[in-house]
Amino acid sequence: MLGPPGSGKGTHATIISKEFSIPVIASGEIFRDIIRRDGPLAEKIKGYVLKGELVPDEITIKIIMDRLEMPDCEKGFVLDGFPRNLRQAEALTRWLEKKGLSVDLAIYLKVNKEELIRRLSSRRICEKCGAIYHLIFNPPKNDEICDICGGHLYQREDDKEEVVKRRLEVYERESSQLIEYYAKRGVLREVDGTGTIEDVQKRIKAILNCFRKELASDLNDGYINRNE
Ligand code: AMP
């Protein structure tokens, strides 16, 4: 999933993951988990995350590649928040190529800046199950309590306004090149990320249905040989 912070990558990655029964690998979530558990790596990562800066590539790439080696990723995965720059994208390409694989789809969620700031400042997350809410557009039934598991909802430290602005700047500087990288490989699909979750979900579903048909026809034509 490609797109700026607040574009809905996490929400839609989760929906796709259920549809295809594959895990979401969310780099930001992995980092927040490491920080919560404390330890030497937590200290290193924390400073970057709290300032809205990117964690250095050598740390990020190692953590994500190790995660992708785990057995639950064997049948595929949805990436949310990784890659975030060209170096990470190239590392992912190399890792996939070694296994005879490549990125199937890069779904790019397009949302304007004003809307992103509005979304991020009212975003709340369940500390137990990770469900994402928006206080205005997708509010929980009871203030501060998750509808799904009853967990407490919190605001991410880096969703506070100053850090949000920094994260958007970092996105512009580092991640916008990824659009071109995946467009060149013929896997980029742009999606209007505005509107309700259901609106965006419908647009993504149309892309996934097309992808399924292409995949089925390639398999029939013998272009690819997948061990399903
Ligand atoms: P996210 O939850 O995707 O918005 O990520 C939260 C924070 O985690 C970012 O602002 C970065 O500090 C860090 N982070 C997440 N993914 C990456 C990545 N691929 N490379 C470097 N830093 C990352």
Side-chain angles (χ1 to χ4, degrees):
M1 304 298 293
L2 297 180
S7 58
K9 298 189 298 293
T11 300
H12 294 288
T14 306
I15 297 171
I16 296 171
S17 121
K18 285 186 186 139
E19 170 114 10
F20 284 80
S21 303
I22 52 176
V24 180
I25 310 303
S27 46
E29 198 42 56
I30 293 175
F31 287 142
R32 282 187 289 281
D33 197 46
I34 294 173
I35 293 170
R36 252 179 252 128
R37 281 187 276 121
D38 248 344
L41 194 55
E43 275 314 304
K44 265 195 188 163
I45 290 173
K46 206 172 177 175
Y48 296 102
V49 173
L50 290 183
K51 277 190 264 164
E53 299 287 344
L54 294 189
V55 175
D57 287 336
E58 46 294 1
I59 301 178
T60 304
I61 291 169
K62 167 92 175 65
I63 290 174
I64 300 299
M65 299 299 118
D66 284 353
R67 177 64 187 87
L68 296 182
E69 291 288 352
M70 290 166 106
D72 63 331
C73 292
E74 267 169 19
K75 293 221 174 230
F77 43 83
V78 191
L79 286 169
D80 161 17
F82 181 92
R84 222 106 147 188
N85 59 25
L86 277 184
R87 220 171 133 211
Q88 295 181 8
E90 283 158 2
L92 175 65
T93 301
R94 279 195 300 277
W95 184 88
L96 289 167
E97 276 174 356
K98 267 193 223 147
K99 297 177 187 295
L101 299 169
S102 59
V103 167
D104 289 318
L105 284 176
I107 297 176
Y108 168 36
L109 292 171
K110 284 176 87 171
V111 178
N112 64 55
K113 202 166 167 184
E114 295 71 40
E115 171 75 11
L116 293 172
I117 294 176
R118 207 155 57 107
R119 284 185 184 183
L120 290 168
S121 56
S122 300
R123 179 160 75 173
R124 296 292 181 275
I125 314 226
C126 172
E127 65 183 10
K128 244 169 140 184
C129 74
I132 304 166
Y133 295 86
H134 186 282
L135 293 184
I136 299 157
F137 303 115
N138 177 31
K141 289 196 188 91
N142 296 307
D143 247 12
E144 319 259 319
I145 307 281
C146 177
D147 294 350
I148 303 164
C149 74
H152 176 253
L153 303 184
Y154 74 101
Q155 181 177 36
R156 277 171 45 177
E157 278 299 317
D158 60 347
D159 275 350
K160 309 222 160 116
E161 195 169 331
E162 273 320 297
V163 188
V164 162
K165 286 189 181 145
R166 184 79 199 119
R167 286 164 63 204
L168 291 174
E169 277 166 26
V170 170
Y171 172 80
E172 285 293 328
R173 194 184 67 216
E174 300 274 342
S175 308
S176 44
Q177 299 152 319
L178 293 176
I179 309 304
E180 203 186 325
Y181 182 85
Y182 287 111
K184 274 193 190 148
R185 280 160 179 75
V187 292
L188 187 79
R189 302 289 182 276
E190 289 194 12
V191 176
D192 173 4
T194 56
T196 64
I197 294 176
E198 289 73 28
D199 292 338
V200 181
Q201 200 185 329
K202 268 190 209 144
R203 295 173 200 139
I204 295 179
K205 247 196 169 141
I207 290 170
L208 296 178
N209 286 339
C210 255
F211 168 68
R212 278 206 179 102
K213 280 186 203 137
E214 282 165 24
L215 192 63
S217 110
D218 283 353
L219 284 168
N220 281 339
D221 294 345
Y223 286 136
I224 40 183
N225 177 15
R226 292 187 179 226
N227 299 323
E228 292 293 329

